[in-house]
């Protein structure tokens, strides 16, 4: 080691262990976006001075850093995501080497990776490592639930249901967040193939989560179940009920930024169907800003592009609609999101119908059918005829609007957004 390196290490040893100890003793002061540069710097410092830090201190620093990034995000201009993640992974490896608990940190790493590549091999590896590192039944159950969710994200529903069966064997108390999560995740498995069965599971999850919510405990699985009940209501044309479900779920959510982004995107989706274009655009801008705070570049962004395309089609900005749809399709293919790709292809199909490009319509329809058979149908559990009929109902609703001669301008005044925002009209030109 050279002289300057020895001096640097000596000064780092003198400064950073004490600073890291102080920060983790005051986590409430480091839960906002403006804390991320400090936390990222301290992660780097912990790598250098790890020989002076005990395992619990390192664990708490990594956990605090992930929580801040995933719950609060970062301020505009922060560009240290890659270095942050590299340092966090080095410290997790170190903790694993020391025999310390790493399951929850690895699951946080998987959530972080999902914003980059939702269906990628690296996210799967983090989840599998977390499962292998589980030190008790509780950690194993949490990891298994994440395995099931990964399978649903890439349309492997049979595999997800098999994992959920093991989760049920480990969960012996219905009044826990894990039990609610099992019901909710089961509902998600069926949502795309048997909506009535999915509805029952989501309703059971809400009923099971009620006592937890009454105690004031955050219950993310119950929030997710309410979100999906909102989607089911929206699919049935029950627009006010859908909005009410979304807001109720958001009020219970733990604050993961990707979930907040989806909240705004789904509100926008319903408001567009009701003709409330300015209100919808308000929520789309909020969704985009929320995803940007967490550095989201994966499937949620592709889905958001699909909703932007609906707004552009409704306002007859067809070139903008095509641009964002093609961008979204590229994201969904790159990140292994067959459901998102199906939705975007359906949106592109409506655009091609409006443009009168009938040869493209036929080719797109055939590609949608091929993708559905290879992914959604192949990985599903249950009656294939019922699944096809469910998808046809969804396609009819989505594509049917393309045959209107002009976009419907009038808003449904009986539907009001209960989110509490004033939905001020945008004063700037929309840029993408």
């Amino acid at each position: 080691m050279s002289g300057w390196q020895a001096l640097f290490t000596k000064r780092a040893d003198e400064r950073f262990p004490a600073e890291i100890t102080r920060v983790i003793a005051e986590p409430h002061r480091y839960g906002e976006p403006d804390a991320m540069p400090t936390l990222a710097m301290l992660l780097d410092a912990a790598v250098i001075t790890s020989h002076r830090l005990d395992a619990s201190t390192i664990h708490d620093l990594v956990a605090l850093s992930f929580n801040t990034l995933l719950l609060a995000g970062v301020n505009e201009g922060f560009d240290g995501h890659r270095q942050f993640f590299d340092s966090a992974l080095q410290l997790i490896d170190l903790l694993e080497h020391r025999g310390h608990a790493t399951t929850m940190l690895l699951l946080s790493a998987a959530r972080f990776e999902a914003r980059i590549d939702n269906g990628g091999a690296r996210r799967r590896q983090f989840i599998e490592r977390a499962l292998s590192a589980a030190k008790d039944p509780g950690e194993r159950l949490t990891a298994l639930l994440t395995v099931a969710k990964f399978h649903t994200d890439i349309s492997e529903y049979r595999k997800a249901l098999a994992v959920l069966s093991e989760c049920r064997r480990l969960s012996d108390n219905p009044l826990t967040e894990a039990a609610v999560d099992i019901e909710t995740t089961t509902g998600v498995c069926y949502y795309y193939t048997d909506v009535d069965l999915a509805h029952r599971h989501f309703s059971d999850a809400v009923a099971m989560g009620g006592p937890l919510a009454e105690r004031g405990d955050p219950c993310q699985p119950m929030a997710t179940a309410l979100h999906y009940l909102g989607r089911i209501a929206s699919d049935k044309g029950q627009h006010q009920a859908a909005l009410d479900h979304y807001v109720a779920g958001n009020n219970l959510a733990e604050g993961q930024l990707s979930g907040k982004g989806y909240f705004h995107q789904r509100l926008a989706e319903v408001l567009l169907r009701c003709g409330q274009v300015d209100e919808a655009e308000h929520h789309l801008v909020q969704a985009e800003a929320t995803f940007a705070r967490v550095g989201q570049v994966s499937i949620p962004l592709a889905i958001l592009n699909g909703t932007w395309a609906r707004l552009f089609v409704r306002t007859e900005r067809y070139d903008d609609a095509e641009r964002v749809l093609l961008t979204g399709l590229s994201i969904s293919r790159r990140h292994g999101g067959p459901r998102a790709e199906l939705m975007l292809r359906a949106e592109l199909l409506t655009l091609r119908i409006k443009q009168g490009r009938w040869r493209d319509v036929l080719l797109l329809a055939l590609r949608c059918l091929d993708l559905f058979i290879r992914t959604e149908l192949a990985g599903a559990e249950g009656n294939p005829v019922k699944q096809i009929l469910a998808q046809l109902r969804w396609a009819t609703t989505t594509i049917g609007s393309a045959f209107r001669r002009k976009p419907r301008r009038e808003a449904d005044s009986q539907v009001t957004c209960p989110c509490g925002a004033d939905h001020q009209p945008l004063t700037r030109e929309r840029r993408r």
Side-chain angles (χ1 to χ4, degrees), residues 155-395:
S155 302
E156 293 179 343
Y157 306 116
R158 288 196 189 96
K159 291 182 179 180
L161 289 168
V163 174
L164 287 167
S165 293
E166 185 175 353
C167 291
R168 282 190 170 83
R169 289 193 292 272
L170 288 172
S171 177
D172 57 0
N173 184 352
L175 296 178
T176 62
E177 184 172 337
V180 180
D181 207 351
I182 291 169
E183 286 303 311
T184 297
T185 308
T186 303
V188 176
C189 288
Y190 287 113
Y191 172 74
Y192 302 95
T193 57
D194 189 337
V195 71
D196 292 333
L197 183 54
H199 189 281
R200 288 200 293 274
H201 282 289
F202 293 137
S203 298
D204 288 346
V206 171
M208 292 166 64
L212 299 178
E214 289 171 6
R215 292 203 309 251
D217 296 340
C219 192
Q220 184 61 48
M222 183 179 173
T224 302
L226 284 165
H227 173 94
Y228 274 94
L229 288 172
R231 292 180 66 177
I232 292 171
S234 177
D235 292 341
K236 293 179 178 179
Q238 300 168 356
H239 298 134
Q240 189 62 58
L243 293 171
D244 291 341
H245 279 310
Y246 289 147
V247 170
N250 183 63
N251 290 340
L252 284 173
E254 295 173 340
Q256 292 280 343
L257 280 180
S258 286
K260 293 287 185 184
Y262 270 129
F263 164 70
H264 287 293
Q265 182 264 326
R266 295 299 178 191
L267 288 179
E269 207 171 59
V270 176
L271 292 167
L272 273 177
R273 289 178 181 175
C274 298
Q276 299 182 20
V277 176
D278 287 343
E279 291 86 347
E281 187 162 3
H282 166 89
H283 283 291
L284 286 176
V285 170
Q286 292 295 315
E288 194 162 75
T290 303
F291 285 145
R293 280 172 57 196
V294 77
Q296 178 62 253
V297 296
S298 190
I299 300 304
L301 203 59
I303 294 171
L304 181 63
N305 275 20
T307 313
W308 271 116
R310 290 187 188 187
L311 184 144
F312 291 144
V313 167
R314 194 176 190 93
T315 54
E316 300 180 74
R317 295 165 62 181
Y318 298 141
D319 288 344
D320 286 333
E322 180 167 355
R323 174 168 45 81
V324 297
L325 282 172
L326 293 178
T327 299
L329 280 167
S330 176
I331 292 170
S332 64
R333 287 193 295 265
R334 191 164 63 246
H335 295 285
R339 288 198 305 270
E341 185 177 349
L342 269 173
M343 180 272 290
L344 290 162
R345 287 195 181 280
E347 298 291 350
L348 188 57
L349 197 57
T350 67
L351 178 61
R352 294 294 184 244
I353 291 170
K354 286 185 176 293
Q355 294 171 323
R357 294 169 57 172
W358 300 106
R359 182 174 179 275
D360 290 345
V361 168
L362 178 60
L363 290 173
L364 272 169
L366 291 173
R367 287 174 182 167
C368 285
L369 180 61
D370 173 66
L371 181 62
F372 172 66
I373 292 171
R374 286 188 294 105
T375 58
E376 299 299 296
L377 194 60
E381 182 78 18
N383 187 332
V385 174
K386 196 171 185 178
Q387 295 159 25
I388 291 170
L389 290 175
Q391 292 293 329
L392 284 174
R393 284 195 297 271
W394 170 77

Side-chain angles (χ1 to χ4, degrees), residues 14 18 76 85 91 99 111 123 131 140 146 149 195 203 294 315 330 341 375 381 384 396 403 409 412 414:
E14 291 171 351
E76 186 175 355
F85 200 32
L91 293 171
R111 284 195 293 274
R123 181 187 172 206
L131 182 59
R140 180 171 177 77
T146 310
K149 292 169 188 175
V195 71
S203 298
V294 77
T315 54
S330 176
E341 185 177 349
T375 58
E381 182 78 18
T396 300
F403 291 97
R409 298 286 186 185
D412 185 346
Q414 294 184 346

Side-chain angles (χ1 to χ4, degrees), residues 20 23-28 30-32 36 39-40 42-43 46 54-73 84-85 87-89 91-92 95 100-109 111-112 139 256:
I20 290 168
V23 166
I24 64 173
E26 303 175 307
H28 57 281
Y30 295 89
E32 298 299 328
M36 276 312 303
L39 291 172
L42 290 179
L43 284 176
D54 61 54
S56 294
T57 299
I58 295 173
H59 180 282
D60 291 349
L61 176 65
V62 176
L64 173 62
S65 301
F66 271 130
N67 285 341
T68 299
L69 181 61
L70 294 170
L71 297 178
F84 162 90
F85 200 32
S87 296
L89 292 178
L91 293 171
I92 291 172
L95 289 173
H100 196 78
T102 58
T103 290
M104 304 312 294
L105 297 181
L106 286 163
L107 293 178
S108 292
R111 284 195 293 274
F112 183 88
E139 286 191 350
Q256 292 280 343

